[in-house]
Amino acid sequence: MSQIRLKQVETSKRSLAAKLFRALLFLIFLLLIAYFVVSSGWFVERVVVPRVGKALHSTLTVGKAEFSPFTQLTLNQVKLTPDGAETLFDARQVHARYNLLALVRGNIVVEDVLLDSPTINIVEDAQGGKNTDGLVPKSTQPKPPAKSGGKPPQVTLKSLTLRNATLRHTKISKEGGKTLTELANANLSIKNVRNGGTGTLTFSTALAMEQAVGTPSVAKLPCLLNSDLSFALQDNLQPASLKGTASFSVGKATGEFAELGGLIGKLDCDMTPSEVKQLALQFNKGTASLGRVRLTGPFDAAKIEGKLKLEVTSFDRQVLNLFGAAKGIDFGTTTINDTTDITIAQTGRMISLAGRLDIARLQTIQRNVTSPMVDLNCTYDVTFDSAAKSLLLKAVNLNGTQNQQPLMSATLSNPLTLAFGDTVNAADASLDFALINLNLADWRAFAPGLDLAGVANAKGKLFSKDGGKRLSIEIDKSIKNFSAKLGNGPTAIDEISFNGVINHSGQGDSINSKLALNGIKLAGVTGAPLELAMGVDASVSNKVANLQQCSLKLTPTPRAKNEANLTGVVDLNEADAITGNLKLAAESLDVTSYYDLFANKPESTTTATNIPPAKTPAPGPQQEPAPVKLPLSNFTVDATIGRLYLREIDAANVQASLLLDGSHVLLKPFQLTLNNAPVSATADLDLSVPGYKYNVAFNADGVPVAPLANTFSPRYQGRAQGTLIAKVDIQGAGVTGRNLRTNLNGAIDFSFTNANIQIVGPMLQTVVAGVALTLQTPELLRSPLEYVNSNLRAGDGKIDVAQFVAQSPALRLNSAGSIQIADDLQNSRLSLPVDIALAAEYARKIKLSNTDTNDYVALPRFISLIGTLEKPDRKIEGKALAGTAVSTLLNNLDTEKAGKLGDAARAIGNLLGNKPTTNAAPEAGSTNNVATNAPPKTNPLQDLLRRQLK
């Protein structure tokens, strides 16, 4: 039995081993299949490439792929297009041969890398957005610190080739212009890059720049660039030596770049690990030398220490324009010379610059605006210590002249240390600076349309204590005989003065300053010159600003003292949630004269003729304003003004409180007494949704109309009297018609009593003009309104005119109806029938009535208000109009002379539904001479009748 069991066990073991062997073979088979699949071009094209494209938020396509995991990768017809943007990259071929096993061991061994005919196309819009923005989402996580130290990698790169490459950058300006910069047919070859080895670099390309700004002409700057360099690397891959030349030449340039044509630049480079023998950039044009930049001196690349000399010789506009032409800047007569000694010590932690800069006949020309010529020279000795985090100004002496007269200066009394880290022991120092007799008229071209004039002077002093930990700036500035075109006309100010002190220290900052404007005058505005003075006394500590005083003083008037003061605290610790409380207080303010400076627009004395009106672009779909979140949290502003005067407006006991909290704005309360009448309002706004949510209420009880009209409305100035009673209660969301139709609710009630208002508004004029035309009574238009009452209700997508009454001594208008709100509110259609009643004296005058009543006589309804809110129009009903008109004609006809014509016309009037008045026809021999009031031969009413009856 035991032998049998032993045989069974042995058989079982052999069976298990066979199964394991078969499983191992199957696993090896699967691995082989997996290897061939993964290493196939099909896998790269169909699996890897789409995933890479998705990770880059782009569409990545490859025409054909060849992949050997251990040795090489070749991709043909590669194209990368970011989602929703223009194609960024395409290439005929991307090829690399490498040693995967060496890479795994940490050594970079690459036989060759080839990019054949790649094109990189970068497009930047007017807002600065690029088609590269979506490739990698912006991360809010901080970047990990770079690792330092450790053994440098072993690198062997035999060949890197860039063949027939194109790099294109297109930038669209806000004005619609386009700047195109392109590197075309670029060829780059880098060979033999390895630790402790020597290699070569050759590069050639054609550089082209084109600029078009709103004109058919295009500015072009074609260039050729070439370089041939040899280099050596240390074992740690730091540069050991660099030698060779590089050059560029400008071809036939056009437009703003035209004068750069023929410019040649050549760079000579010869650097060793211990010395910069030659690093010089020379500019020439033909045989003429245009300037040179040269850097020489001992420099230990391993220690990053050395003493270098930088020389800039005779740089003029032809070189400077190479950098300014892209922005349309021409440097005119400018010439720059500079000599600077550069000392680099303590392994690059301390850098000193000492030298002299001379800028002769400095001038800029941009868009036909030329600056005056200024000469500047500056001697300096500056040291930056990155370890101590400090900047030491050992010596600074700046002088500027204009027309050989002093213009500006800056002089350092003692060495000045500005510390950015821990306290630095340094002596107290000061920097004096001054601006001397700057004539603003010489610089007015840089502020076109303002016509600046005046002479500016300024002087100041910068104090430094405790190594720059405590800074103080004193400024005293004045502008005399200032004038400019501000607001609606020329403004002149006898003197503008400013003086102030700004202090900075570790405990906080403070400012104490005063700004004064004396003798403010505006052409065309009568009255004595005005004054304005503002004072600020504030401090900031731990990002909390304490506003002890911000005073505003205006020229006092017989009505007001004209002094206001703002105080409060603002907490700036959270940039997106600033909290605070400000209080504005004033005993009495009269701002009439200052309002007149800008409200009184002088009448134009010229009349444009034969100038076609500008074409108005077709309106696009209305958009709601985007949501807004203010960087404020529980921020309150309270205002208390005892008396506020503006022209004829007299506001007393003004009280207002405003709360700003993120997207929530609350005005409550707001109340005052306006020309002895109570006025109050509240506003609750939610800015977190497009178009905003709002709840607004307003109440006014017995406000005199004349002061408001005479102050704010030139149309109604001197034409409106009476008393206003108004109540507004509106809730809604959105400001476009589409959202108003859905969300607008509320009521508006107002009335004018004891009024005397000339009919100027377009809607009333439209209706009254139609009545006056129909009844041949133009005097109706001149009859002022003595009573107006309106009750409007909003809801269910419409505005209900529950009642509208307008009454003058000549007529009374009454209307009611609904206005359906359109997607564009101004296009909401009007269809409001108007009931008209004439005063009895006018009805008797045109023979529509012969009663002795003093009441109004109702007319048949023959006119309606139509059109839109933006362009109201009138519609006259033909039947009712004809009846009224015929009745009017009949009552003015001498029926004895009219005979059968009168009978026929009267019959037509009855047929059209309008009964003639009961005026009896005069008997034969009557002394009533109606014919003397016959209508004129050319009667526009007859033409109107004819058109309506067609």
Side-chain angles (χ1 to χ4, degrees):
M1 291 291 295
S2 61
Q3 291 180 350
I4 295 173
R5 289 179 179 176
L6 183 60
K7 290 181 179 181
Q8 289 177 346
V9 170
E10 290 177 354
T11 303
S12 177
K13 287 182 177 179
R14 286 196 297 270
S15 176
L16 178 61
K19 290 180 179 179
L20 289 175
F21 181 72
R22 287 195 295 270
L24 181 59
L25 288 177
F26 183 70
L27 180 59
I28 293 173
F29 178 72
L30 290 179
L31 290 175
L32 288 173
I33 294 176
Y35 171 78
F36 285 112
V37 170
V38 171
S39 63
S40 68
W42 175 89
F43 183 80
V44 174
E45 296 168 13
R46 301 298 178 87
V47 179
V48 178
V49 169
R51 289 179 178 271
V52 173
K54 185 177 181 181
L56 294 176
H57 305 280
S58 307
T59 299
L60 177 63
T61 60
V62 173
K64 183 180 180 181
E66 299 176 6
F67 181 43
S68 176
F70 293 97
T71 59
Q72 69 175 348
L73 171 65
T74 302
L75 304 176
N76 295 290
Q77 305 301 328
V78 182
K79 188 174 184 180
L80 177 68
T81 304
D83 295 340
E86 294 188 34
T87 297
L88 174 64
F89 175 84
D90 68 77
R92 180 181 298 173
Q93 186 181 84
V94 177
H95 169 77
R97 284 196 303 152
Y98 51 86
N99 187 327
L100 180 62
L101 296 179
L103 291 172
V104 172
R105 290 193 296 268
N107 299 323
I108 301 174
V109 179
V110 179
E111 290 292 325
D112 63 85
V113 176
L114 170 66
L115 273 73
D116 187 8
S117 303
T119 298
I120 300 175
N121 181 41
I122 300 174
V123 180
E124 182 178 352
D125 60 27
Q127 288 71 41
K130 301 183 182 68
N131 58 338
T132 59
D133 293 343
L135 291 182
V136 180
K138 296 180 181 179
S139 174
T140 58
Q141 298 296 327
K143 294 182 179 179
K147 295 182 180 180
S148 60
K151 185 179 179 181
Q154 295 298 308
V155 175
T156 301
L157 173 61
K158 292 185 178 181
S159 174
L160 187 152
T161 304
L162 186 68
R163 182 189 302 159
N164 193 28
T166 300
L167 173 60
R168 185 181 300 114
H169 179 268
T170 305
K171 183 174 182 180
I172 308 299
S173 69
K174 294 181 179 179
E175 295 79 15
K178 182 171 73 173
T179 300
L180 172 65
T181 305
E182 182 179 83
L183 285 174
N185 194 26
N187 293 278
L188 171 69
S189 176
I190 302 177
K191 294 183 178 181
N192 300 324
V193 178
R194 65 180 185 275
N195 303 69
T198 60
T200 60
L201 182 153
T202 59
F203 177 69
S204 65
T205 186
L207 170 65
M209 181 182 291
E210 294 185 4
Q211 189 174 62
V213 185
T215 60
S217 61
V218 177
K220 296 182 179 181
L221 180 67
C223 301
L224 292 177
L225 288 81
N226 292 277
S227 66
D228 189 355
L229 302 171
S230 62
F231 59 87
L233 300 177
Q234 302 179 32
D235 289 339
N236 60 0
L237 294 178
Q238 294 294 321
S241 66
L242 180 65
K243 187 175 183 179
T245 62
S247 64
F248 75 89
S249 59
V250 180
K252 186 176 180 180
T254 61
E256 295 178 348
F257 305 124
E259 293 191 12
L260 297 177
L263 182 67
I264 299 174
K266 183 179 180 181
L267 175 68
D268 289 318
C269 178
D270 189 357
M271 300 172 59
T272 69
S274 61
E275 184 180 6
V276 178
K277 295 182 178 180
Q278 175 91 320
L279 186 59
L281 178 60
Q282 175 74 44
F283 293 94
N284 295 282
K285 195 169 185 180
T287 59
S289 176
L290 302 182
R292 183 178 67 170
V293 180
R294 185 168 181 261
L295 182 68
T296 59
F299 179 75
D300 190 329
K303 295 181 179 180
I304 316 179
E305 295 180 353
K307 292 184 177 182
L308 302 173
K309 189 179 189 68
L310 175 66
E311 298 173 287
V312 178
T313 307
S314 301
F315 260 36
D316 68 2
R317 63 186 297 271
Q318 297 188 78
V319 177
L320 295 174
N321 287 356
L322 185 64
F323 308 97
K327 296 183 179 180
I329 299 176
D330 184 342
F331 284 91
T333 57
T334 306
T335 302
I336 297 178
N337 289 276
D338 176 76
T339 302
T340 302
D341 292 323
I342 305 173
T343 302
I344 305 173
Q346 298 182 10
T347 319
R349 293 195 301 267
M350 183 174 289
I351 302 175
S352 297
L353 305 175
R356 177 185 174 93
L357 171 66
D358 290 294
I359 305 177
R361 300 183 301 280
L362 173 62
Q363 186 182 61
T364 60
I365 304 171
Q366 188 174 24
R367 297 180 182 176
N368 298 321
V369 176
T370 303
S371 70
M373 285 189 293
V374 175
D375 295 309
L376 297 175
N377 65 77
C378 180
T379 57
Y380 50 89
D381 190 347
V382 181
T383 298
F384 175 73
D385 189 341
S386 60
K389 295 182 180 180
S390 65
L391 179 67
L392 173 62
L393 304 179
K394 295 181 182 179
V396 174
N397 191 352
L398 171 68
N399 288 286
T401 61
Q402 180 181 348
N403 298 327
Q404 299 182 345
Q405 297 297 318
L407 179 65
M408 64 182 69
S409 66
T411 305
L412 189 63
S413 63
N414 296 314
L416 173 62
T417 300
L418 302 176
F420 309 107
D422 299 331
T423 302
V424 176
N425 294 325
D428 296 346
S430 64
L431 177 68
D432 296 294
F433 54 90
L435 183 68
I436 306 162
N437 294 331
L438 176 67
N439 189 349
L440 297 181
D442 293 341
W443 302 84
R444 64 174 51 170
F446 289 88
L450 292 182
D451 285 346
L452 292 176
V455 178
N457 285 275
K459 61 181 180 178
K461 188 183 290 287
L462 170 64
F463 293 95
S464 173
K465 297 183 179 181
D466 297 338
K469 287 293 185 179
R470 290 192 295 161
L471 297 175
S472 178
I473 301 176
E474 294 181 358
I475 301 175
D476 190 352
K477 181 177 181 180
S478 68
I479 303 177
K480 294 185 177 181
N481 301 320
F482 174 84
S483 66
K485 284 185 178 180
L486 301 176
N488 296 313
T491 299
I493 303 175
D494 292 341
E495 183 176 8
I496 301 174
S497 62
F498 173 83
N499 58 76
V501 178
I502 303 173
N503 297 300
H504 167 75
S505 67
Q507 286 71 40
D509 304 316
S510 66
I511 179 173
N512 191 305
S513 63
K514 182 179 179 181
L515 172 68
L517 285 74
N518 300 316
I520 305 173
K521 301 180 289 292
L522 180 67
V525 178
T526 59
L530 303 176
E531 298 179 355
L532 182 149
M534 179 181 292
V536 176
D537 186 1
S539 62
V540 179
S541 179
N542 297 323
K543 293 187 177 182
V544 176
N546 188 359
L547 189 63
Q548 288 92 357
Q549 183 182 39
C550 180
S551 61
L552 176 67
K553 295 182 179 181
L554 306 177
T555 304
T557 70
R559 298 195 295 183
K561 189 177 180 181
N562 266 356
E563 294 184 3
N565 191 40
L566 182 68
T567 60
V569 176
V570 178
D571 189 338
L572 304 170
N573 277 284
E574 296 185 29
D576 59 346
I578 300 172
T579 62
N581 178 265
L582 298 176
K583 296 183 182 298
L584 175 67
E587 178 184 325
S588 56
L589 295 174
D590 184 355
V591 296
T592 300
S593 298
Y594 299 88
Y595 179 80
D596 289 344
L597 286 177
F598 299 95
N600 285 351
K601 184 174 182 179
E603 294 293 334
S604 175
T605 58
T606 60
T607 302
T609 59
N610 299 325
I611 299 178
K615 293 183 179 179
T616 303
Q622 288 192 331
Q623 300 292 330
E624 294 287 1
V628 174
K629 184 177 181 181
L630 303 174
L632 304 171
S633 174
N634 197 29
F635 196 103
T636 60
V637 181
D638 299 310
T640 303
I641 303 175
R643 208 84 178 201
L644 176 63
Y645 297 96
L646 174 58
R647 290 182 175 172
E648 297 183 23
I649 291 178
D650 178 2
N653 300 321
V654 180
Q655 293 185 350
S657 181
L658 180 66
L659 170 66
L660 304 171
D661 189 7
S663 296
H664 184 211
V665 178
L666 177 64
L667 177 64
K668 185 178 182 180
F670 176 81
Q671 57 190 31
L672 56 99
T673 302
L674 187 59
N675 291 84
N676 297 319
V679 174
S680 63
T682 61
D684 193 345
L685 308 178
D686 179 2
L687 309 180
S688 64
V689 298
Y692 321 140
K693 293 181 180 179
Y694 43 85
N695 189 338
V696 179
F698 175 81
N699 286 280
D701 187 5
V703 176
V705 175
L708 293 173
N710 296 340
T711 298
F712 296 118
S713 178
R715 174 184 293 179
Y716 281 101
Q717 194 166 22
R719 298 182 175 186
Q721 297 178 1
T723 302
L724 169 67
I725 301 173
K727 182 177 182 181
V728 178
D729 189 3
I730 292 293
Q731 308 86 40
V735 295
T736 62
R738 185 184 301 274
N739 282 327
L740 290 174
R741 189 169 60 243
T742 304
N743 304 313
L744 185 64
N745 287 281
I748 300 176
D749 300 309
F750 68 88
S751 62
F752 295 97
T753 59
N754 302 318
N756 184 358
I757 303 173
Q758 294 293 326
I759 302 175
V760 179
M763 288 194 181
L764 278 176
Q765 267 202 334
T766 299
V767 174
V768 176
V771 178
L773 174 63
T774 303
L775 302 180
Q776 297 284 283
T777 52
E779 60 268 28
L780 296 182
L781 281 170
R782 297 189 294 270
S783 181
L785 297 176
E786 59 186 10
Y787 172 73
V788 177
N789 183 63
S790 180
N791 306 111
L792 307 178
R793 301 292 180 267
D796 299 326
K798 59 183 179 178
I799 300 174
D800 287 322
V801 182
Q803 182 186 44
F804 177 80
V805 178
Q807 180 175 306
S808 75
L811 80 167
R812 180 172 61 207
L813 307 177
N814 197 323
S815 182
S818 296
I819 303 173
Q820 296 293 329
I821 300 176
D823 286 352
D824 183 344
L825 181 63
Q826 293 298 319
N827 290 334
S828 299
R829 304 296 301 180
L830 302 175
S831 182
L832 300 173
V834 181
D835 292 323
I836 301 169
L838 284 181
E841 63 173 295
Y842 286 93
R844 288 193 292 268
K845 180 179 178 181
I846 62 174
K847 305 295 181 66
L848 284 177
S849 173
N850 61 359
T851 63
D852 294 331
T853 179
N854 291 324
D855 202 353
Y856 289 82
V857 177
L859 302 179
R861 180 182 291 173
F862 66 87
I863 192 168
S864 297
L865 189 62
I866 59 172
T868 64
L869 287 176
E870 183 179 19
K871 297 180 180 180
D873 200 356
R874 58 177 176 263
K875 178 182 179 182
I876 299 177
E877 299 295 337
K879 183 177 179 181
L881 169 65
T884 303
V886 169
S887 178
T888 304
L889 288 173
L890 291 179
N891 288 320
N892 286 279
L893 280 174
D894 184 340
T895 54
E896 180 179 356
K897 297 179 179 180
K900 294 182 179 180
L901 176 61
D903 295 335
R906 193 173 287 107
I908 293 173
N910 293 331
L911 181 62
L912 292 173
N914 187 72
K915 295 183 178 181
T917 59
T918 56
N919 293 357
E923 296 180 0
S926 172
T927 58
N928 292 342
N929 188 7
V930 181
T932 60
N933 294 323
K937 293 182 179 179
T938 56
N939 189 347
L941 178 61
Q942 295 173 351
D943 294 334
L944 183 62
L945 259 175
R946 194 176 300 114
R947 289 195 300 270
Q948 293 291 335
L949 292 175
K950 285 183 178 179

